[in-house]
Amino acid sequence: MIQKRYRVRLGLWTIGALLMVLAIVWGTALPTQAASPNTIMQLAPSAKISASRSVILAGPGRGFWSVGALRRGEVVPINGVSADRQWWYVNTVFGKGFVPVLDVTASNADGVTVPTLDPIGTVPSGRVTVRTSPGFEAAAVSSLSVGSQFYVIGTRPDGQWIEIRYRFGKGWVRTALTSLAQPGSTAGVTASVTVGDPRVIVNAGALNVRSGPSNLFKSLGTVPGGTVMKIIGRSNDGFWLEVVSPFGDGWVNANHVITRDYFGSPATK
């Protein structure tokens, strides 16, 4: 009787030991089974700095200002690539910027797209004075040396001055002293480049919208300062802009507005 009980207990112990071994083997196999190819494919695009030190620039070009620097081994997310595929658009602890392709090892970046950028300008020679507003009478706040690059964010209606975003913020420079290019392109273009919807921002306490391009035409109504209206045309002399106003299509005096994404194109009507 005692031997029978002993054999039963021994059998239970043996079964328990076998179950424990199976559990250990099964548990160690789980991580390998979970690491499927689908998990690897879902990894986000990233760039690992392979140079000893890589400077992150505000734009895809050596003439842009620095926003920070990364050291070898640091990894950052990739948000896009320049049109010429020479610069990765990355997100860093000090903000977004561009890093040279040759400075990094990219992973999972085959599907990234070209980001939408403002038109890019360059100083082709000498030095260019940056002013607070368009006109030689405006105060000078800084200057840009040859090779400096910047973003174009607006223009005076006659196309003679452009508003830029550069190292120290925003300012105005003479269009004739710069070379403008579409984002990602090195070809020079004229100041008639249009990006997005050209529009005016009323830069006065109030402004009349008139039925024609002159003070002799009747007023359709008055819009307050800060009103934004789409540009659909320009008078031959450039002193009046045709806009889509709350009162219908009308004309505003170009001296009392600031333009955005407009580069002096002739009237469309």
Side-chain angles (χ1 to χ4, degrees):
M1 190 70 177
I2 295 176
Q3 290 181 350
K4 184 177 181 181
R5 290 179 181 176
Y6 178 77
R7 284 197 297 271
V8 170
R9 289 180 182 177
L10 181 61
L12 291 176
W13 289 342
T14 303
I15 293 172
L18 288 173
L19 290 175
M20 184 177 297
V21 170
L22 288 174
I24 293 173
V25 172
W26 180 260
T28 55
L30 284 177
T32 303
Q33 186 177 10
S36 65
N38 291 333
T39 303
I40 297 175
M41 292 176 64
Q42 292 173 0
L43 293 177
S46 63
K48 183 177 182 180
I49 306 301
S50 55
S52 58
R53 182 175 181 272
S54 184
V55 177
I56 309 302
L57 301 177
R62 295 288 181 183
F64 280 97
W65 62 97
S66 168
V67 297
L70 297 174
R71 298 185 181 278
R72 177 178 289 150
E74 292 190 72
V75 179
V76 292
I78 293 177
N79 292 341
V81 65
S82 63
D84 59 6
R85 305 196 71 83
Q86 298 302 305
W87 299 81
W88 292 117
Y89 185 44
V90 297
N91 192 10
T92 71
V93 293
F94 32 78
K96 294 180 179 179
F98 289 84
V99 60
V101 168
L102 297 178
D103 282 4
V104 306
T105 299
S107 300
N108 308 301
D110 291 340
V112 298
T113 58
V114 178
T116 300
L117 302 175
D118 289 320
I120 294 171
T122 304
V123 178
S125 62
R127 297 188 71 86
V128 174
T129 300
V130 182
R131 299 183 182 276
T132 56
S133 59
F136 291 110
E137 70 281 358
V141 292
S142 185
S143 65
L144 297 173
S145 59
V146 60
S148 297
Q149 292 180 286
F150 50 83
Y151 290 111
V152 180
I153 59 176
T155 185
R156 200 169 73 173
D158 60 8
Q160 298 300 308
W161 292 80
I162 54 175
E163 187 178 14
I164 67 170
R165 179 166 63 87
Y166 70 120
R167 178 187 298 271
F168 301 115
K170 298 178 182 179
W172 292 81
V173 298
R174 282 278 291 173
T175 306
L177 301 178
T178 67
S179 174
L180 302 182
Q182 290 283 15
S185 170
T186 57
V189 298
T190 66
S192 61
V193 176
T194 300
V195 178
D197 287 332
R199 57 201 182 277
V200 299
I201 303 172
V202 177
N203 191 30
L207 183 64
N208 282 311
V209 179
R210 298 189 177 276
S211 60
S214 167
N215 286 325
L216 299 177
F217 288 89
K218 70 175 182 179
S219 173
L220 301 176
T222 303
V223 292
T227 300
V228 180
M229 296 176 286
K230 182 180 178 180
I231 299 172
I232 57 175
R234 188 195 73 176
S235 63
N236 291 331
D237 57 15
F239 293 145
W240 292 80
L241 296 173
E242 189 177 13
V243 298
V244 178
S245 78
F247 321 107
D249 295 352
W251 295 80
V252 294
N253 192 309
N255 291 325
H256 303 300
V257 298
I258 295 173
T259 64
R260 290 289 184 270
D261 295 330
Y262 174 73
F263 295 86
S265 302
T268 57
K269 290 186 177 182

